[in-house]
Amino acid sequence: MHQRQRRSKRLLLTVLILIAAAQLGVGLLLDLDPLKVRFRPAESIIANLCEASRHPDILFLGSSRFGDGIKIGELQKAMNETFGKEAPLMVNCAFPAADPYSMDFLLRHILRRGITPAMVVMEISPETVMLGGPYQGGQVTRILTLKDMPEAAADLIAFGKLTELMDSRLIPIYTFRMELLTYLFGDSPPYLAPPAGILSPVPAPTAAKAQAAALPRNVSRVEKENRLRLIQSARPNVQSWLRGFRIKGLNVRHLESMLAYFQTHGIAAILVGVPVTKMHFECYSQEINLKFLDYMNTLARTYGCRFVDYRDRFADDLFYDHHHLTPEGGSEFCQVFQEEVLCQAWRKGPMTSRRTE
Amino acid sequence: MLFHTFPFFLLYTITAVAYWSMKDEPKRVWWLVLASIVFYAKWNPWLVSVVLFTAAFDFYIAQRIEAATSVRRRKFLLVTSLLVSLSLLAFFKYTNFLIDNGRLMLNLFGLELSGTTLKVVIPLGISFYTFETISYVVDVYLGRIKAERNGSNYALFLLFFPHLIAGPIVRAGHFLPQVRRRKFLNWERVQVGARLFLLGLFKKVVIADQLATLIDPVFANPGSWSSATTWVAVICYAVQIYCDFSGYSDMAIGAAHGLGYHLPENFNMPYFSLNIAQFWQRWHISLSTWVRDYLYIPLGGNRYGTFKTYRNLMITMLLCGLWHGAGWTFVFWGFYHGFLLAVHRAVPWPSWLGKKILIPFRWATTFLLVCIGWVFFRAQNFSNALMMLRRMFIPTEGLVLTTHVAMLATGVLALVFLAHVLGAMVDWRKLEWPIAFPLVAAGMVAGFLLVQILMPANGGAFIYFQF
């Protein structure tokens, strides 16, 4: 009887130790190179950059908002027409749920491979410079390693991401199962759709997106109403993102560290207040707006970068949800941005310094 | 809080560690009651009050029944208790069903009933704990057990978190003596519990949840699929519901073992039943024995002639169907099983059917009949169920499974069949000691890691939670 008790105890202990060891081991292996398994979109961006025959002159860094809004082909064509041989080569490095913390991570990896752009255009919005921010939980899954803990843990815990933090450290096999299986088998298994609300705060509705892509600007009244309803329904979500708005934390530190690097290395930087719908813009209260604009001015003064605000410049029917532009909206945004900002910035900045060299 | 989620593991670990470190048995009972309330409140803090009200009310009524001297008063108290329990169940579970059907009836007479359905949140596990509390009051009334005098003991009987949401349906006569008994940490029991829990997790995550990806599209749009695919989906559903529910039961029993409690077995390889009567002795045993003891026998059972026996059988199975869900498809499923049981009882089966060589044939026939019943159980409505049955029995072209889904289905079905065959031959729980220690440990670790890797993104709620 005692022997059976002892044996059972030993068995349970062994199983527990082995499970803990497996979790720890896999967690450490994943930490070695987060790009390989956990952050595949970033890896493919870097791979594409490395494979290109020429290094890009202008990098666009942003989230899916830039992914939809920046029509890089159209923008490149317009720049080629304006500058001819002196036109910059541009690459859109947007990836889902990007914020300054994850952009800095990607940028560091790009720079490490010897790719140094002459100009960086970065997406910015109040929600991506605030403490926490909607994409922060996703960064725990994609970026955070054990050695980042001293810097990031306090911020993440303060913003209520303790569960994500514990999951990623204590049960990495479970937390990163989709990433692991996708890495091992090349495709994500059917039972594991990306968890909504983690990597993308409002999952881009693919059906709506496809429909929007097919819709001309003069859509019917019913379609307009449907789209408006979809936009309005996101109000509580946006309001919850902005709750307790404070400009500090991981995003701010990484944004400033990037800008400081650009300043020291002579890389021109443009911060673009990304277009959003009227409803989304209304969620930026006067106080939030003031703080945000004040911070942007401080950044411009301190790091010599430029801030351009496109947040409330486009009509709602150019969006397929509250913060993603339709293809038509993207074209319009690119045209305006190219005419108002990009041409001038390229002419005055990197192009001139190249000529001087 | 689902059994296969990290918060549950955390809650369970904290509960078990604190529980075994307490020396005082009454304190342990209170601790488990508290943990059970937290477990339930994590889903909906307000609806804990409904469970607590039911517990308090029947705790009080049972004592009054025991103290009552006149038969009339005892009967009155019993009826009051049954009315309150069943009214709560009816209100939460069947209000909208009754409104919808009332409206349909009025429409038949040309009357229009305005208003929409009520927004009622059904308390999780209400069907299960209502049956538990009914059985307790009836048992006290019949003098089978003494009324419990200790409130915490009774609360634990009803609220004990391993069985609170989806059973097994425990009886007071089985559970309350365990609550009163002094318990000692038994590592062997903890280990058996851990293995049972792991087995349940495996059934749920590796089998049931994987099959759901194949089944759901077919049942959602039954008109688009070929006959072969429809057959595969129906067979897979039979396996899914078995693995989902028996997996839950295994986890519940395993979790209870770890705290020194024993819960009754709920499944015994039901798909290896020789006939439909045997199927009901092996499927959801705690429910089938409950309806037998508290419905079929009180109605008269088979004591009052052939007609009444069949009548009682049909009433019992119809109510069993309705217990599962507020929908006519569930009622029909109950009727179908009642009919099969009646036929099984009525037909004088030839003795040669009992030959050993025919056992696989009898298994297959029973399984096929059960599968037809599952179509009604799972289909969203009658027309979908009939469409599926038409496709099953009239060869029809349509969408087919992709190779990788077909392989998944074949693999999973083969695994379940093999487990059934093994289970029929040996009691795997006794297999433990002859197997080398490292092999058992490695098996447990591999099983746990596989479960983690295959866990669905949305957590995969248990099918029986809706009942």
Side-chain angles (χ1 to χ4, degrees):
Chain A
M1 187 68 188
H2 281 302
Q3 198 194 343
R4 287 171 75 115
Q5 284 267 350
R6 263 204 309 277
R7 191 188 145 107
S8 295
K9 199 173 171 178
R10 203 152 52 92
L11 178 71
L12 281 171
L13 266 171
T14 314
V15 169
L16 278 177
I17 290 167
L18 285 176
I19 288 172
Q23 299 283 7
L24 186 74
V26 170
L28 290 174
L29 271 177
L30 289 174
D31 276 4
L32 282 180
D33 189 356
L35 279 176
K36 212 160 211 140
V37 182
R38 288 163 53 183
F39 200 2
R40 306 264 285 176
E43 205 208 8
S44 65
I45 288 172
I46 294 168
N48 287 340
L49 286 174
C50 292
E51 277 166 20
S53 53
R54 194 182 131 197
H55 286 174
D57 302 301
I58 303 179
L59 281 186
F60 287 82
L61 286 175
S63 69
S64 54
R65 300 168 179 184
F66 252 29
D68 289 329
I70 299 294
K71 318 293 291 177
I72 205 73
E74 291 174 24
L75 210 51
Q76 186 69 62
K77 200 176 155 202
M79 291 296 271
N80 288 346
E81 280 167 11
T82 314
F83 293 100
K85 279 183 181 171
E86 285 182 309
L89 178 67
M90 299 179 290
V91 174
N92 191 356
C93 296
F95 56 91
D99 57 11
Y101 180 38
S102 48
M103 286 182 209
D104 186 25
F105 175 85
L106 174 66
L107 192 75
R108 270 187 282 132
H109 280 272
I110 292 174
L111 295 171
R112 214 175 284 163
R113 281 161 177 83
I115 302 165
T116 312
M119 183 189 283
V120 173
V121 180
M122 282 167 70
E123 173 194 314
I124 203 90
S125 62
E127 55 267 32
T128 54
V129 290
M130 66 181 282
L131 176 66
Y135 307 131
Q136 210 83 125
Q139 314 320 350
V140 176
T141 316
R142 303 195 289 198
I143 299 173
L144 205 78
T145 63
L146 204 60
K147 70 171 193 291
D148 300 323
M149 294 301 264
E151 188 216 352
D155 268 11
L156 291 167
I157 293 168
F159 196 67
K161 300 291 173 198
L162 180 66
T163 319
E164 281 94 338
L165 207 61
M166 279 175 65
D167 284 356
S168 69
R169 291 296 105 204
L170 299 177
I171 43 172
I173 296 179
Y174 167 73
T175 311
F176 303 121
R177 65 198 188 285
M178 187 176 78
E179 289 79 6
L180 276 165
L181 289 172
T182 311
Y183 173 71
L184 290 172
F185 301 108
D187 200 5
S188 65
Y191 63 93
L192 283 175
I198 294 184
L199 289 186
S200 166
V202 175
T206 44
K209 196 172 172 179
Q211 200 186 8
L215 284 174
R217 191 167 180 176
N218 53 346
V219 288
S220 74
R221 194 176 54 83
V222 179
E223 285 156 352
K224 263 188 179 175
E225 279 172 7
N226 283 342
R227 206 183 283 181
L228 203 68
R229 209 171 297 131
L230 178 77
I231 290 169
Q232 287 299 333
S233 67
R235 187 184 286 273
N237 217 355
V238 183
Q239 283 170 339
S240 77
W241 293 353
L242 296 163
R243 203 165 291 144
F245 182 83
R246 266 185 303 161
I247 298 179
K248 64 181 277 196
L250 271 181
N251 278 328
V252 167
R253 284 203 295 277
H254 284 266
L255 175 62
E256 290 182 14
S257 117
M258 273 191 287
L259 293 176
Y261 181 88
F262 296 153
Q263 195 179 29
T264 357
H265 291 81
I267 299 170
I270 303 173
L271 303 173
V272 180
V274 69
V276 291
T277 51
K278 198 172 266 91
M279 178 284 293
H280 192 119
F281 189 73
E282 280 166 11
C283 293
Y284 303 140
S285 65
Q286 205 182 357
E287 192 196 347
I288 291 176
N289 240 339
L290 278 175
K291 281 183 186 169
F292 175 68
L293 292 174
D294 187 42
Y295 180 58
M296 289 299 115
N297 287 334
T298 314
L299 289 181
R301 272 199 313 275
T302 319
Y303 301 104
C305 60
R306 188 173 169 199
F307 169 66
V308 285
D309 198 354
Y310 283 98
R311 290 178 300 154
D312 62 341
R313 283 278 297 272
F314 296 92
D316 280 2
D317 55 4
L318 289 174
F319 291 84
Y320 67 82
D321 66 11
H322 65 103
H323 61 160
H324 288 100
L325 286 161
T326 58
E328 205 188 5
S331 300
E332 204 161 305
F333 169 52
C334 285
Q335 196 188 336
V336 175
F337 178 66
Q338 192 247 347
E339 284 167 6
E340 292 179 1
V341 181
L342 201 58
C343 284
Q344 191 196 19
W346 180 249
R347 195 172 286 127
K348 279 187 180 169
M351 199 175 88
T352 322
S353 45
R354 269 188 194 176
R355 273 189 190 154
T356 325
E357 280 162 22
Chain B
M1 197 184 285
L2 299 169
F3 278 178
H4 55 295
T5 55
F6 188 53
F8 177 77
F9 284 105
L10 205 65
L11 175 84
Y12 185 80
T13 311
I14 294 168
T15 307
V17 170
Y19 173 82
W20 288 117
S21 52
M22 288 175 191
K23 295 278 174 264
D24 189 24
E25 203 61 36
K27 270 188 197 155
R28 283 179 174 177
V29 172
W30 275 116
W31 175 244
L32 286 185
V33 171
L34 184 73
S36 302
I37 290 172
V38 171
F39 172 79
Y40 201 86
K42 186 84 174 67
W43 166 69
N44 188 324
W46 297 105
L47 288 175
V48 177
S49 56
V50 180
V51 195
L52 289 175
F53 168 76
T54 309
F57 184 75
D58 283 328
F59 174 67
Y60 172 76
I61 286 275
Q63 289 185 29
R64 295 293 94 213
I65 288 176
E66 201 172 60
T69 44
S70 77
V71 176
R72 224 177 126 185
R73 183 161 169 75
R74 285 164 64 84
K75 248 188 195 152
F76 168 74
L77 287 165
L78 173 72
V79 171
T80 309
S81 161
L82 292 179
L83 271 177
V84 170
S85 298
L86 292 173
S87 303
L88 278 172
L89 180 65
F91 171 74
F92 283 109
K93 200 166 167 178
Y94 301 106
T95 305
N96 284 327
F97 179 64
L98 292 173
I99 291 174
D100 288 344
N101 285 288
R103 188 180 291 139
L104 275 175
M105 289 288 282
L106 288 174
N107 282 351
L108 286 178
F109 295 104
L111 294 167
E112 283 285 328
L113 186 73
S114 60
T116 51
T117 47
L118 294 180
K119 279 184 184 164
V120 182
V121 181
I122 305 173
L124 270 181
I126 190 166
S127 309
F128 292 90
Y129 71 70
T130 302
F131 272 25
E132 284 164 358
T133 189
I134 287 176
S135 72
Y136 166 70
V137 176
V138 171
D139 284 352
V140 171
Y141 173 80
L142 294 174
R144 288 179 187 151
I145 55 167
K146 292 260 175 221
E148 178 59 49
R149 302 276 153 191
N150 185 319
S152 60
N153 286 1
Y154 184 74
L156 186 62
F157 156 64
L158 215 60
L159 289 165
F160 188 47
F161 66 87
H163 75 70
L164 176 61
I165 309 289
I169 300 169
V170 294
R171 308 272 184 95
H174 174 254
F175 194 81
L176 283 171
Q178 296 185 60
V179 183
R180 293 181 204 118
R181 196 185 307 138
R182 172 108 185 109
K183 282 168 281 296
F184 299 95
L185 177 60
N186 180 334
W187 283 105
E188 196 180 355
R189 213 167 155 188
V190 175
Q191 184 253 126
V192 169
R195 276 194 297 138
L196 259 175
F197 195 93
L198 195 57
L199 176 72
L201 258 180
F202 190 86
K203 281 182 183 174
K204 164 72 184 152
V205 174
V206 180
I207 300 172
D209 287 345
Q210 301 309 312
L211 286 178
T213 55
L214 177 163
I215 297 157
D216 293 347
V218 179
F219 275 91
N221 198 2
S224 318
W225 304 84
S226 71
S227 295
T229 309
T230 310
W231 268 108
V232 172
V234 172
I235 292 170
C236 284
Y237 181 67
V239 174
Q240 185 204 5
I241 194 166
Y242 166 67
C243 288
D244 191 279
F245 193 25
S246 76
Y248 179 89
S249 297
D250 289 340
M251 283 188 250
I253 296 167
H257 263 308
L259 299 165
Y261 285 87
H262 177 260
L263 299 182
E265 287 292 327
N266 227 7
F267 293 88
N268 180 19
M269 286 170 296
Y271 292 143
F272 271 7
S273 302
L274 294 170
N275 53 55
I276 201 73
Q278 203 179 70
F279 172 79
W280 278 104
Q281 286 158 15
R282 291 160 167 247
W283 177 271
H284 202 173
I285 300 165
S286 65
L287 174 73
S288 52
T289 51
W290 193 98
V291 292
R292 182 196 64 202
D293 295 345
Y294 298 96
L295 202 57
Y296 179 69
I297 292 174
L299 281 171
N302 55 5
R303 285 166 291 162
Y304 302 106
T306 316
F307 171 74
K308 283 193 175 168
T309 303
Y310 291 122
R311 183 203 65 182
N312 296 340
L313 206 54
M314 290 312 289
I315 292 174
T316 307
M317 292 315 289
L318 278 172
L319 289 174
C320 182
L322 194 62
W323 176 88
H324 278 87
W328 288 110
T329 48
F330 288 110
V331 178
F332 184 80
W333 175 77
F335 168 81
Y336 172 76
H337 273 276
F339 176 75
L340 290 181
L341 286 167
V343 170
H344 171 71
R345 199 180 174 85
V347 174
W349 300 101
S351 58
W352 54 264
L353 264 179
K355 282 182 183 170
K356 264 194 173 173
I357 198 164
L358 289 176
I359 285 179
F361 168 75
R362 291 177 67 191
W363 282 346
T365 311
T366 312
F367 180 66
L368 177 72
L369 291 171
V370 171
C371 280
I372 292 170
W374 288 137
V375 174
F376 289 96
F377 194 88
R378 173 64 175 81
Q380 284 157 3
N381 49 48
F382 266 113
S383 57
N384 276 9
L386 292 175
M387 190 183 285
M388 285 197 83
L389 285 174
R390 222 177 8 248
R391 283 187 174 248
M392 282 163 75
F393 291 102
I394 303 169
T396 319
E397 303 235 322
L399 295 174
V400 289
L401 298 175
T402 59
T403 320
H404 123 265
V405 177
M407 274 166 61
L408 171 89
T410 316
V412 169
L413 292 178
L415 184 72
V416 175
F417 180 73
L418 214 75
H420 258 63
V421 173
L422 269 174
M425 292 195 304
V426 281
D427 184 354
W428 68 273
R429 271 163 241 181
K430 288 180 185 155
L431 269 177
E432 179 217 342
W433 300 114
I435 298 176
F437 176 95
L439 210 64
V440 180
M444 286 176 80
V445 173
F448 188 76
L449 296 180
L450 192 62
V451 162
Q452 288 212 322
I453 285 274
L454 291 173
M455 190 79 77
N458 56 5
F462 290 92
I463 294 174
Y464 260 69
F465 275 21
Q466 61 185 298
F467 309 137

